[in-house]
Amino acid sequence: MYHALYHSPVGPLRIVADDAALKQLWLPNEVKSRRPENGWIENEAHPIIASVIRVLTEYFAGKRVDFNVIPCEPEGSEFQRAVWQRLRDIDYADVINYGAIAASVGRPKGAQAVGGAVGSNPIAIVLPCHRVLGKDGTLTGYSGGLDVKKALLALEGIPYKERN
């Protein structure tokens, strides 16, 4: 595995890739609490990592609206990967709710399970779990912290409701 630290407007992000795809993208709270594994090689010039850095730079500058140019291979169960693929399909500045994702992956009563899969998304931002809101447009939890979620939503011009 290869990794590099990217300094973004929402804080430091760790990019983790193998020779074929992006495997993980850690949010700032994860960068603070986790360390790269032994044997990982720090290399921001690695082709996948360099591509992710370029795409993220464009995104934070307001010049990129999709991440489909980045090959992603998150590791998880079949259900988790189905949910994460559905996240990838959410258009820039659009939102979806947990129930709609559940229905789209064939588990119409599985909104809570979808919430668990969304919360364990290993490739934040690129698989845009920040675009998942409550059914009524309410801001829901975010593994990277609500401040980061709010910043990403603001960057994309996505309105949301605060919880009471």
Side-chain angles (χ1 to χ4, degrees):
M1 288 289 187
Y2 301 91
H3 70 97
L5 198 61
Y6 171 72
H7 296 281
S8 82
V10 297
L13 306 173
R14 180 154 320 271
I15 302 163
V16 181
D18 64 13
D19 285 323
L22 178 63
K23 303 297 269 185
Q24 301 173 23
L25 196 150
W26 301 358
L27 293 166
N29 62 333
E30 294 172 298
V31 170
K32 289 178 188 171
S33 66
R34 297 173 67 182
R35 297 284 173 251
E37 294 183 22
N38 288 334
W40 286 10
I41 299 165
E42 189 165 2
N43 183 358
E44 68 182 35
H46 180 276
I48 300 288
I49 291 177
S51 177
V52 172
I53 290 171
R54 179 182 49 78
V55 166
L56 287 172
T57 300
E58 292 169 358
Y59 170 73
F60 285 113
K63 297 177 181 174
R64 163 132 336 243
V65 296
D66 70 72
F67 301 108
N68 293 331
V69 297
I70 300 172
C72 296
E73 291 180 5
E75 294 179 8
S77 71
E78 185 176 331
F79 174 73
Q80 287 173 318
R81 287 191 317 272
V83 170
W84 299 334
Q85 179 57 49
R86 181 62 186 97
L87 294 176
R88 190 168 186 136
D89 296 337
I90 306 168
D91 290 333
Y92 180 88
D94 201 4
V95 295
I96 194 167
N97 64 62
Y98 298 96
I101 294 173
S104 74
V105 298
R107 301 263 307 261
K109 296 184 188 250
Q112 189 170 6
V114 165
V118 169
S120 63
N121 172 15
I123 305 177
I125 302 173
V126 173
L127 302 180
C129 51
H130 62 277
R131 297 179 187 154
V132 181
L133 298 176
K135 192 173 186 175
D136 63 353
T138 303
L139 189 66
T140 56
Y142 191 63
S143 63
L146 287 181
D147 288 346
V148 172
K149 185 170 186 167
K150 288 177 181 180
L152 295 171
L153 294 172
L155 174 69
E156 296 185 27
I158 298 173
Y160 58 86
K161 298 177 189 173
E162 291 276 359
R163 282 219 159 138
N164 293 337

